[in-house]
Amino acid sequence: MATILRDWSYRYPWLYGGISQVAALTVGGEPRFRRLLLQDLPLTGARVLDLCCGGGDVTRYLVAAQPQTLVGVDASPKAIARLARNVPTAEGVCAFAEDLPFAAATFDVVVCSTALHEMTASQRQEILTEVQRVLVPGGWFALADFHKPRQPWFWPPLALFLALFETETAWELLAVDLPAVLEPIGFQNIHQRLYAGGSLQVVRAQKA
Ligand SMILES: C[S@@+](CC[C@H](N)C(=O)[O-])C[C@H]1O[C@@H](n2cnc3c(N)ncnc32)[C@H](O)[C@@H]1O
């Protein structure tokens, strides 16, 4: 599904930015939205990976936490070029999240903001397995993404957004229990928090 608006939102960063800002109003504005998945993570002095970083909308907030190293990975060369402009202190790596070009146990923290909804179930499994591999034991993973709303009045705006901008994989994610997916991959201390009437989830988990 999806519409031409999806292509435009990828082609024109200002359009993607505008949409993100409107969507973020449901959680109190864009800065709060971008920081939600960073709450309580041990970022200072850590080796941090922003997975599927896009143009760095979350990466820029990671800089403020003064990590030891900060790497952004994205499959799109254009996204990596935008990251270089927007967050010059981060190292940009163009790669697929399913096949990360890093040794095991390279990172203390991995974050992934609003990207898993673009993946098929098998891609998602591969990516989460890669996240587990590149984390040190005890390292933290945090993700933010769509979730099936708990309050009925959040369904119409979410359904409109998904119909205009997303594909089937976003609808499929609504039926997935991400904490239950993470556990068999090798994560523990899994914690899910819901926002915006349940339509947004932030999940934090620690590598066992
Ligand atoms: C919706 S954007 C989110 C970008 C950013 N994390 C944010 O919060 O604004 C999803 C990003 O995932 C990237 N992406 C999609 N599939 C990917 C894959 N298999 N491996 C790496 N990056 C991927 C896209 O290029 C895009 O930049």
Side-chain angles (χ1 to χ4, degrees):
M1 236 167 45
T3 63
I4 186 77
L5 287 173
R6 178 179 175 78
D7 292 340
W8 287 355
S9 72
Y10 266 93
R11 200 172 309 165
Y12 306 113
W14 58 265
L15 178 61
Y16 178 78
I19 296 157
S20 300
Q21 281 178 16
V22 172
L25 291 176
T26 56
V27 292
E30 176 148 26
R32 180 161 190 267
F33 169 57
R34 298 295 181 188
R35 286 197 197 101
L36 278 181
L37 87 161
L38 309 184
Q39 280 173 6
D40 304 325
L41 290 177
L43 296 167
T44 305
R47 294 159 294 172
V48 179
L49 170 63
D50 185 359
L51 195 58
C52 305
C53 60
D57 288 327
V58 167
T59 330
R60 72 176 86 226
Y61 289 102
L62 286 164
V63 171
Q66 299 187 316
Q68 181 193 113
T69 54
L70 178 55
V71 179
V73 161
D74 201 284
S76 157
K78 285 185 181 165
I80 292 300
R82 287 209 315 281
L83 175 73
R85 281 196 301 276
N86 296 337
V87 194
T89 51
E91 178 192 349
V93 176
C94 193
F96 285 102
E98 300 91 317
D99 187 17
L100 291 172
F102 308 113
T106 299
F107 295 101
D108 303 300
V109 177
V110 178
V111 303
C112 183
S113 173
T114 59
L116 284 185
H117 67 269
E118 300 199 346
M119 314 303 171
T120 62
S122 61
Q123 263 182 307
R124 192 171 56 238
Q125 189 72 17
E126 285 173 17
I127 290 168
L128 295 176
T129 303
E130 277 294 81
V131 170
Q132 200 269 357
R133 183 184 68 79
V134 300
L135 274 173
V136 296
W140 286 95
F141 175 50
L143 71 91
D145 223 306
F146 299 119
H147 184 271
K148 192 164 54 176
R150 292 272 165 87
Q151 292 171 3
W153 50 91
F154 276 84
W155 267 112
L158 179 67
L160 180 65
F161 184 87
L162 296 192
L164 291 176
F165 292 103
E166 301 297 344
T167 64
E168 314 66 53
T169 55
W171 292 96
E172 284 160 19
L173 184 72
L174 299 185
V176 176
D177 179 353
L178 280 176
V181 171
L182 285 166
E183 197 175 347
I185 293 174
F187 288 95
Q188 62 185 13
N189 297 327
I190 302 167
H191 179 262
Q192 182 188 50
R193 205 172 268 174
L194 301 182
Y195 299 88
S199 59
L200 174 73
Q201 62 182 320
V202 172
V203 179
R204 206 173 55 228
Q206 193 170 27
K207 177 170 171 172

